[in-house]
Amino acid sequence: AQTVTQSQPEMSVQEAETVTLSCTYDTSESDYYLFWYKQPPSRQMILVIRQEAYKQQNATENRFSVNFQKAAKSFSLKISDSQLGDAAMYFCAYRSAYDYKLSFGAGTTVTVRA
Amino acid sequence: GAVVSQHPSRVICKSGTSVKIECRSLDFQATTMFWYRQFPKQSLMLMATSNEGSKATYEQGVEKDKFLINHASLTLSTLTVTSAHPEDSSFYICSAKGGETQYFGPGTRLLVL
């Protein structure tokens, strides 16, 4: 199974500031997908952003953007203009192009300070 | 779009009884659904892959006779926890495959007394 590593258990950010969450993964495959999911206190998993490995361009969704470094097997998430509603646990996930199972990282809890 | 529901949202049962959790894709068809277990402040652990019209595929260490999965239609998968014990208390989450993405249900909190 692929290994997904999130080395930051907790991150804190001031409202309106920017925070970057790190994620690295281990795979021998060249074709795969990467995801960031958000789990707020309600515990509903919400898709934040998705990146296809074959695309060189970094994915962006409003205030959320990724820095995908395929050679380094790194997939960081940047949250810009942080809002109180961004407070949640964030999970990085990997999926092979040939299998629909997701491998999740351990998660990073983001706290937003007013 | 891509909404997944779970029922019930929380359930309390006595040790030794069975509990059924339903997972429905509301606005799309899902040939494949997944069942996860999550302990507090931890990541999601995949239990099994549910395929419509065929037997579920269980992850290593998950007892198939204890966690019965049925995927009888393209919009419904059920997880039955049989002869529940207190150690089965957990948060169970389902997801449904929609295109290249998994969409998650809101989860079911199970407490076994």
Side-chain angles (χ1 to χ4, degrees), chain A residues 3-8 22-26 92 104-106:
Chain A
T3 303
V4 179
T5 302
Q6 293 179 250
S7 59
Q8 306 152 315
S22 67
C23 173
T24 59
Y25 56 94
D26 183 27
C92 178
F104 284 94

Side-chain angles (χ1 to χ4, degrees), chain B residues 54-80:
Chain B
S54 64
K55 289 184 178 181
T57 304
Y58 291 82
E59 295 301 299
Q60 193 171 9
V62 178
E63 298 176 60
K64 62 179 69 175
D65 294 332
K66 179 162 190 62
F67 298 101
L68 299 179
I69 291 171
N70 184 25
H71 193 156
S73 78
L74 288 171
T75 58
L76 173 65
S77 174
T78 60
L79 168 69
T80 301

Side-chain angles (χ1 to χ4, degrees), chain A residues 47-113:
Chain A
L47 176 65
V48 175
I49 204 164
R50 183 184 95 180
Q51 175 81 43
E52 292 88 342
Y54 63 85
K55 289 186 177 178
Q56 292 188 337
Q57 187 172 7
N58 289 323
T60 300
E61 286 289 341
N62 301 314
R63 298 182 294 105
F64 298 88
S65 61
V66 297
N67 183 4
F68 174 47
Q69 301 290 327
K70 191 172 184 179
K73 297 180 183 174
S74 171
F75 183 61
S76 61
L77 174 71
K78 184 170 78 173
I79 307 174
S80 303
D81 185 24
S82 297
Q83 300 175 359
L84 296 177
D86 295 334
M89 197 158 186
Y90 286 80
F91 292 98
C92 178
Y94 168 101
R95 203 210 95 193
S96 166
Y98 311 104
D99 186 347
Y100 286 98
K101 293 184 193 178
L102 287 174
S103 296
F104 284 94
T108 297
T109 299
V110 172
T111 304
V112 182
R113 306 187 303 274

